[in-house]
Amino acid sequence: MTSIMTAPTSDTLSFSPLFQQQQAHQYKVARATAKERSRKLRLLEKAVLRYRPELQEALWADFRKPKAEVDLTEVYAVLSEIRHARKNLKRWMKAERVPTPLPLLGSRSWIVREPKGVCLIISPWNFPFQLAIGPLVSAIAAGNTVVIKPSEHTPATSAVIRKVVGAVFPEEEAAVVEGGVETATALLSLPFNHIFFTGSPGVGKVVMKAAARHLASVTLELGGKSPVIVDETADIQLAAKRIAWGKFLNSGQICIAPDYVLVHESRAAELESALTEAIAQLYGAEPSASADLGRMVNHSHLQRVAGYLEDARQRGARIVAGGKVDEEQKYMAPTIVCGVDRASALMQEEIFGPVLPLLTFARLEEAIGWVQQGEKPLALYLYSRDKKNIREVVRETRAGGTCVNNNDVHFMHPELPFGGSNNSGIGKSHGWYGFEAFSNARPVYQQLLPGALELLSPPYTSWKQRLIDLTVRWL
Ligand SMILES: NC(=O)c1ccc[n+]([C@@H]2O[C@H](COP(=O)([O-])OP(=O)(O)OC[C@H]3O[C@@H](n4cnc5c(N)ncnc54)[C@H](O)[C@@H]3O)[C@@H](O)[C@H]2O)c1
């Protein structure tokens, strides 16, 4: 079994034949029972394990992602999605009976989750395997056919994705199309039933506009600036350790990485030194020598983040740790920066790199106010030992997701919906929520006996009007 590999040249930019093939095949795929879908997912699990060493090599070649991080954040993330889906698939696929209200007595109703049909997955480069195959798991569990377009910035990984998918699925069920913006644009011109996009908010808008042409439904997993609030009651050592891990993993190129920290002014100095220490513990005194620290994906992203830092420095920011850039190695040191002007690019743009600004606040309402003024973030984190503060921050802010006394890890919980809100995303993924994203909840109402509502049809005699009055008042 092979899947389509297409070079992104203008003469091969028509994907209609592939699309039509999947369209013709969709009902057959949709008929698969829970057992059959589970078997497909088992084959996918085996393929992922078989290609694990190749994937480790590919991600090292693409941007020096450490082997352990490939295992944890790419391989295991996908395997846990598969295992969770296999365990729950039968229950998810079961028709859901719903109670009958009094005016509809004489009927029964249920909801079936039917597949959306032919789906498109467009994925980014930062977790290139997980963010292509994770949604595929949900799409297959829900009984769809799928075209995947992985990122052009991680070509070695894209080739492995193609191999994994091709080893399990015929192309009329799941196919991988490689290429860049032109390829994505050509795919987006086709009338897919659902588009699952992971990437930047800017491109998310392009995708949503394209989807509108065919009224395709969308799941948009986007990005933004995810704040961390550290209040005066926080365990600073613990916070520093966890923030440093969640920020500098993948060199800060994580959609849910802490983007910046708002720390209570009474604890700022302590947090500064605890973070500096945490970086040394994770990556040694000279992080560039550590094999456990990834690189920036390309020169343009390195220059973008280095430019933000330089701009902040010129506006008076103080670099507390790191700051070193090695163009040739696409290396940027884990960097902590204080005294950042809130109007600087570092505080206006999603950083998506290993630079962590620390800003201070005197009263919690100030920190909350700052978050409320910005776009709704993909994640908001809070370090606190005060129950009242925890309640207040969750109640008074809006975010795609939240961790209290940790960061990033909510992503790994298969029972939690993952996704953003408005600028950080539309729709949710993972587990049941991913299955739901790729399904249409179709209500089925079955009339068994003459219904009470039939009594209320014209002509509206006076006693029928009385019955209508009773219904309006009491039922
Ligand atoms: N919410 C999440 O789960 C999540 C996960 C990872 C990354 N992200 C976000 O993704 C962004 C970084 O990833 P990226 O740089 O690969 O994102 P991106 O938006 O530049 O690209 C994502 C995908 O869209 C395609 N694309 C790019 N421009 C396009 C266009 N004009 N028309 C159609 N398709 C186009 C790319 O080829 C790629 O496959 C960050 O904003 C990050 O926060 C979000």
Side-chain angles (χ1 to χ4, degrees):
M1 280 184 280
T2 53
S3 70
I4 281 189
M5 184 199 171
T6 319
T9 55
S10 52
D11 56 339
T12 56
L13 280 182
S14 170
F15 300 108
S16 292
L18 169 64
F19 180 82
Q20 281 159 8
Q21 217 182 344
Q22 291 208 352
Q23 222 174 20
H25 204 66
Q26 61 173 312
Y27 283 94
K28 185 166 175 246
V29 172
R31 279 194 291 272
T33 60
K35 207 167 159 190
E36 286 160 348
R37 291 184 197 176
S38 178
R39 199 186 60 83
K40 290 180 197 178
L41 292 177
R42 174 73 185 127
L43 290 177
L44 184 60
E45 183 180 9
K46 284 186 176 166
V48 171
L49 286 168
R50 196 163 65 247
Y51 281 97
R52 180 177 161 200
E54 219 171 296
L55 191 63
Q56 288 165 344
E57 280 171 29
L59 276 149
W60 184 264
D62 280 334
F63 60 125
R64 250 196 68 154
K65 197 180 274 221
K67 200 166 139 181
E69 281 178 24
V70 174
D71 276 347
L72 275 175
T73 63
E74 304 272 7
V75 176
Y76 175 70
V78 164
L79 293 179
S80 97
E81 189 77 51
I82 293 176
R83 288 166 191 158
H84 182 73
R86 290 190 70 221
K87 209 163 14 167
N88 292 286
L89 193 48
K90 204 167 154 194
R91 184 168 55 82
W92 293 347
M93 285 175 69
K94 231 174 159 170
E96 183 189 340
R97 283 292 297 271
V98 294
T100 304
L102 213 55
L104 298 179
L105 275 185
S107 70
R108 66 175 176 185
S109 302
W110 62 96
I111 303 165
V112 286
R113 262 82 193 182
E114 62 182 19
K116 289 229 166 131
V118 187
C119 300
L120 174 64
I121 295 172
I122 300 182
S123 52
W125 52 263
N126 62 329
F127 291 94
F129 186 73
Q130 188 224 119
L131 295 172
I133 305 294
L136 174 71
V137 173
S138 302
I140 294 296
N144 297 279
T145 67
V146 189
V147 175
I148 304 176
K149 203 230 46 94
S151 173
E152 65 276 30
H153 297 304
T154 41
T157 309
S158 294
V160 181
I161 293 173
R162 186 165 41 78
K163 285 187 194 170
V164 168
V165 173
V168 181
F169 300 102
E171 66 192 27
E172 60 268 27
E173 186 165 355
V176 176
V177 171
E178 291 180 74
V181 177
E182 278 187 13
T183 303
T185 307
L187 285 167
L188 284 169
S189 72
L190 295 166
F192 281 96
N193 299 109
H194 186 73
I195 302 171
F196 189 108
F197 170 80
T198 308
S200 56
V203 180
K205 288 173 193 168
V206 173
V207 170
M208 197 160 172
K209 217 167 167 180
R213 280 204 295 273
H214 305 289
L215 292 176
S217 52
V218 290
T219 306
L220 302 177
E221 296 284 354
L222 310 176
K225 291 183 82 62
S226 298
V228 190
I229 298 177
V230 180
D231 79 3
E232 67 273 37
T233 70
D235 180 334
I236 294 292
Q237 294 303 321
L238 198 87
K241 231 163 117 177
R242 292 178 182 166
I243 293 171
W245 168 78
K247 174 72 188 186
F248 301 115
L249 186 81
N250 217 31
S251 244
Q253 300 164 116
I254 311 180
C255 57
I256 47 171
D259 187 89
Y260 62 97
V261 177
L262 295 167
V263 56
H264 190 270
E265 58 188 14
S266 65
R267 311 297 300 278
E270 208 183 325
L271 185 64
E272 264 180 43
S273 56
L275 277 168
T276 310
E277 219 170 276
I279 292 171
Q281 266 173 20
L282 289 169
Y283 305 112
E286 180 42 71
S288 63
S290 168
D292 296 335
L293 183 65
R295 294 293 182 258
M296 299 299 286
V297 71
N298 55 37
H299 289 288
S300 95
H301 277 283
L302 177 72
Q303 281 153 7
R304 178 182 59 79
V305 183
Y308 293 168
L309 184 63
E310 182 51 27
D311 165 66
R313 213 180 50 77
Q314 282 180 14
R315 290 166 182 256
R318 177 169 57 90
I319 295 174
V320 174
K324 192 171 140 190
V325 173
D326 181 339
E327 280 272 353
E328 207 184 299
Q329 292 290 314
K330 287 184 259 171
Y331 168 78
M332 184 157 194
T335 300
I336 310 287
V337 48
C338 290
V340 180
D341 179 349
R342 292 188 183 205
S344 65
L346 203 55
M347 284 311 295
Q348 296 299 320
E349 306 294 332
E350 178 181 9
I351 299 172
F352 222 62
V355 178
L356 183 67
L358 299 192
L359 293 94
T360 59
F361 64 89
R363 291 179 314 117
L364 190 60
E365 299 84 80
E366 279 174 39
I368 289 173
W370 172 260
V371 176
Q372 284 175 346
Q373 277 165 33
E375 297 283 8
K376 293 176 191 166
L378 182 56
L380 179 142
Y381 306 120
L382 169 65
Y383 283 86
S384 174
R385 285 190 274 214
D386 183 320
K387 277 190 193 152
K388 198 176 122 290
N389 285 0
I390 295 170
R391 259 202 319 272
E392 191 177 333
V393 168
V394 174
R395 193 187 57 224
E396 297 299 325
T397 59
R398 301 288 174 267
T402 279
C403 293
V404 178
N405 293 326
N406 213 332
N407 36 254
D408 306 48
V409 290
H410 61 305
F411 185 90
M412 302 298 279
H413 196 317
E415 299 287 350
L416 290 177
F418 180 80
S421 182
N422 297 136
N423 198 64
S424 54
I426 293 178
K428 299 288 174 186
S429 59
H430 291 183
W432 158 254
Y433 302 93
F435 178 85
E436 213 182 18
F438 283 99
S439 304
N440 172 46
R442 175 176 177 175
V444 183
Y445 172 96
Q446 184 181 11
Q447 197 68 54
L448 299 167
L449 300 167
L453 282 181
E454 284 168 36
L455 293 174
L456 306 180
S457 55
Y460 298 120
T461 56
S462 58
W463 80 270
K464 281 188 186 177
Q465 188 56 57
R466 275 203 298 282
L467 273 181
I468 291 171
D469 278 350
L470 278 176
T471 307
V472 170
R473 273 172 193 276
W474 304 110
L475 295 182

